[in-house]
Amino acid sequence: RGHGRGRGRGAATAAGEEQDAAAEELREAQKALDRQRVSVLDELANLLGKEGMPWLWSGDPGAWQQIAQRVSDGGFLILDSGELLKQREIRQLALRCISEPLLQDGHQHSALLVAGVSRLMHGLRGAENSANFIAEALVQVHSTPLPRLMLVELTQSVSSSELSSQHAFQRALGTFLVAIAEKLPHVVLANISVVLPLLDVDCYPLRNAIVESIGALLSREGCKLPSGARGGVVAASASGDAASEGQAADGSAAAVEGQGVGHERIEP
């Protein structure tokens, strides 16, 4: 009997060691995959911004549009994975892929803006940690029309019936609104008429988030804004289409209202 119990313990130990070895192998495989993701995202971002690359694409707008969209898509892909959103290096490179195309001068950004709003809205309905990433992405491109377009899209696409059965979306939406008010208070304040109609949506968590966002705006009074922020924003009506705002991003002076150069703080 003693020998039988010994053989049983030996078999259990061997099985445990095999499981540990398999788990370690999976961890190493995951690390290798993450390193590959980092490398791919880094190379994608470099396609547009590294050294002489902007000059390379300047003579072929059509090619730039195609490459810019692919680079942007590469950044948005991590919105599909909550685990990837937790990894700092991957997250930072993804933000760079999203922002690099929109921040390059001399190109039309309309298609990128339209696609960006769609991908960001999809992201809010996706991974658990997406709201803060989306807010940070808008901070990176705060000088473009994308933050306002995102706020406009929220008011046009969010409804009580949709939110009533999507509790995760409620939480993500609330987290996003508070985060964007804290990070880009000048944008939210300038577009408060776009945000306030969300108070009419029959969803307590959303209304509570709006009130909290207003509190965040008040608490940020006098605080320094992101580098390059201005007192005004690209103006467009809530019903205006994204294409016209995209043209504003490309330098249409007629679409700019009250851009007070040098306003780096929220004024009371």
Side-chain angles (χ1 to χ4, degrees):
R1 292 180 182 177
H3 290 300
R5 286 196 297 271
R7 286 194 297 270
R9 285 194 297 270
T13 300
E17 291 175 350
E18 289 179 1
Q19 291 177 353
D20 291 342
E24 180 63 26
E25 186 176 346
L26 286 174
R27 284 193 292 270
E28 290 301 320
Q30 185 61 50
K31 289 179 181 178
L33 182 59
D34 289 341
R35 287 193 294 270
Q36 291 177 357
R37 289 192 176 106
V38 167
S39 178
V40 169
L41 288 171
D42 188 39
E43 291 300 325
L44 274 176
N46 288 339
L47 281 175
L48 292 178
K50 187 177 181 180
E51 298 175 354
M53 298 306 287
W55 172 84
L56 177 66
W57 301 113
S58 63
D60 193 341
W64 184 90
Q65 290 288 339
Q66 294 181 28
I67 293 297
Q69 191 62 66
R70 299 302 177 269
V71 171
S72 181
D73 288 345
F76 285 124
L77 278 177
I78 78 163
L79 282 170
D80 297 329
S81 172
E83 289 303 314
L84 291 181
L85 287 170
K86 296 176 183 177
Q87 299 184 39
R88 184 177 180 277
E89 188 173 11
I90 289 178
R91 191 171 65 249
Q92 293 301 317
L93 285 170
L95 288 170
R96 187 176 163 214
C97 287
I98 292 171
S99 62
E100 191 78 43
L102 287 170
L103 295 177
Q104 285 205 353
D105 296 329
H107 298 282
Q108 291 290 325
H109 298 118
S110 301
L112 289 171
L113 290 167
V114 172
V117 170
S118 177
R119 296 298 294 270
L120 292 175
M121 284 298 299
H122 174 74
L124 277 178
R125 296 179 171 88
E128 182 179 353
N129 305 317
S130 62
N132 286 316
F133 175 85
I134 291 171
E136 185 57 37
L138 295 182
V139 171
Q140 298 282 330
V141 296
H142 67 86
S143 60
T144 77
L146 188 58
R148 177 186 166 82
L149 283 171
M150 185 66 178
L151 293 175
V152 171
E153 183 65 21
L154 284 177
T155 62
Q156 293 179 344
S157 62
V158 172
S159 64
S160 302
S161 58
E162 178 187 22
L163 289 173
S164 61
S165 60
Q166 298 185 27
H167 301 295
F169 184 37
Q170 290 180 20
R171 292 192 298 272
L173 190 55
T175 300
F176 167 75
L177 288 170
V178 174
I180 201 67
E182 292 175 345
K183 295 174 183 294
L184 295 176
H186 63 300
V187 173
V188 177
L189 187 60
N191 296 286
I192 196 68
S193 61
V194 174
V195 177
L196 289 180
L198 291 174
L199 287 169
D200 297 329
V201 178
D202 187 15
C203 175
Y204 173 76
L206 176 59
R207 293 199 297 265
N208 188 59
I210 296 295
V211 173
E212 191 174 346
S213 298
I214 295 173
L217 290 179
L218 296 174
S219 70
R220 294 288 292 170
E221 182 179 326
C223 294
K224 190 173 181 179
L225 300 177
S227 176
R230 295 182 176 184
V233 293
V234 176
S237 66
S239 59
D241 61 32
S244 63
E245 295 214 35
Q247 292 167 0
D250 294 317
S252 176
V256 178
E257 179 182 32
Q259 290 196 353
V261 177
H263 289 203
E264 295 184 351
R265 297 178 184 272
I266 299 180
E267 301 299 336

